[in-house]
Amino acid sequence: MDMFSCLADWLNWILSYGISLFRDLIAWLIAVIGQLGYPGIVGLMFLESSFFPFPSEVVVPPAGYLAWKGEMNLAAVIFCGILGSLLGALFNYWISVKWGRPFFEKFGKYFLVTPEALDKAEAFFAKHGHISTFTGRLIPIIRQYISLPAGLARMPLKQFCFYTALGSGAWVVILALVGYFFGSSQELIHEQIQKITIALLIFCVFIIVFYIWKQKNKKKHGE
């Protein structure tokens, strides 16, 4: 029993320490965003949308909270969040276009990636890149990396930017409003984001299933 009690105490300490660190991080971000202003939001969201594991959930809600306090403008917060997300996505897209395909064309045989597979990926994103990019921007983890296969397949840049901005915009608006209405309580923010994430996953599944059904219907009627 003593061993289990020690383990429980240790786990409670780890949890309390994690919550404390999270609160300190939020406080630091509020201070950083307050000092750097809108360029700070753009910069942090750029990091979130590129390779760096910097979650948007701890960037936009504090800015939304500052908007509720009257220290920032909510529309400007949303615009800067979307702009940063788009710039980070374009950075990943550019890296993938510049080095991704040449790398796989040269060394793909060692990773079982053939030129034919690259051509198929390119054809897939040319036809389905819009739905893949839009839904990908709404799904945790995937949102940071959906730009890489899009760049690898050389998805049309205008289309990529539009659907990236659309998906990122929906997510940024949600986070900004959560911060605006629940910013005074980190527990409420965490709870609301969890619920919204589950709802978005269900929404994405519905959109994808509907899209597949629509594509099959088109083929059936020879459109």
Side-chain angles (χ1 to χ4, degrees):
M1 288 295 292
D2 289 339
M3 183 181 71
F4 287 112
S5 297
C6 290
L7 181 60
D9 291 340
W10 181 74
L11 289 173
N12 284 332
W13 180 83
I14 291 291
L15 182 61
S16 300
Y17 184 68
I19 292 172
S20 176
L21 278 179
F22 183 74
R23 285 175 176 166
D24 290 343
L25 175 62
I26 295 296
W28 177 78
L29 283 170
I30 290 174
V32 167
I33 293 169
Q35 289 179 359
L36 298 180
Y38 301 111
I41 299 172
V42 175
L44 291 173
M45 289 303 290
F46 173 89
L47 292 178
E48 185 272 341
S49 198
S50 57
F51 286 112
F52 303 94
F54 203 91
S56 53
E57 292 89 337
V58 298
V59 178
V60 180
Y65 176 62
L66 290 175
W68 176 79
K69 292 175 69 178
E71 296 178 21
M72 300 188 90
N73 179 274
L74 185 62
V77 165
I78 291 169
F79 174 78
C80 290
I82 296 171
L83 178 61
S85 295
L86 180 58
L87 291 175
L90 283 169
F91 177 74
N92 277 6
Y93 179 92
W94 172 75
I95 285 178
S96 191
V97 167
K98 190 170 180 62
W99 287 294
R101 192 176 181 95
F103 174 84
F104 281 112
E105 284 176 347
K106 189 173 183 179
F107 301 106
K109 60 183 178 180
Y110 301 110
F111 300 93
L112 303 179
V113 177
T114 64
E116 291 77 15
L118 291 174
D119 291 338
K120 286 181 180 178
E122 187 170 344
F124 176 86
F125 265 85
K127 191 174 182 181
H128 310 294
H130 56 306
I131 189 71
S132 302
T133 301
F134 172 69
T135 55
R137 297 300 306 185
L138 297 174
I139 300 173
I141 301 175
I142 292 177
R143 71 169 58 98
Q144 278 92 348
Y145 301 107
I146 190 64
S147 309
L148 297 175
L152 188 63
R154 299 181 186 274
M155 179 182 174
L157 186 58
K158 287 182 181 179
Q159 189 184 70
F160 172 77
C161 289
F162 176 78
Y163 286 101
T164 295
L166 192 64
S168 297
W171 181 236
V172 169
V173 167
I174 289 168
L175 292 180
L177 292 178
V178 166
Y180 188 87
F181 291 110
F182 303 102
S184 59
S185 170
Q186 302 308 321
E187 289 78 11
L188 276 177
I189 286 179
H190 183 67
E191 182 183 326
Q192 294 302 316
I193 289 176
Q194 277 189 326
K195 290 178 181 177
I196 291 167
T197 299
I198 293 170
L200 284 175
L201 288 173
I202 295 170
F203 171 75
C204 287
V205 169
F206 173 79
I207 289 291
I208 292 168
V209 169
F210 176 76
Y211 179 78
I212 292 171
W213 172 81
K214 192 175 178 182
Q215 292 298 309
K216 287 184 176 179
N217 229 23
K218 281 184 178 180
K219 286 183 179 179
K220 188 183 292 184
H221 291 85
E223 294 179 18

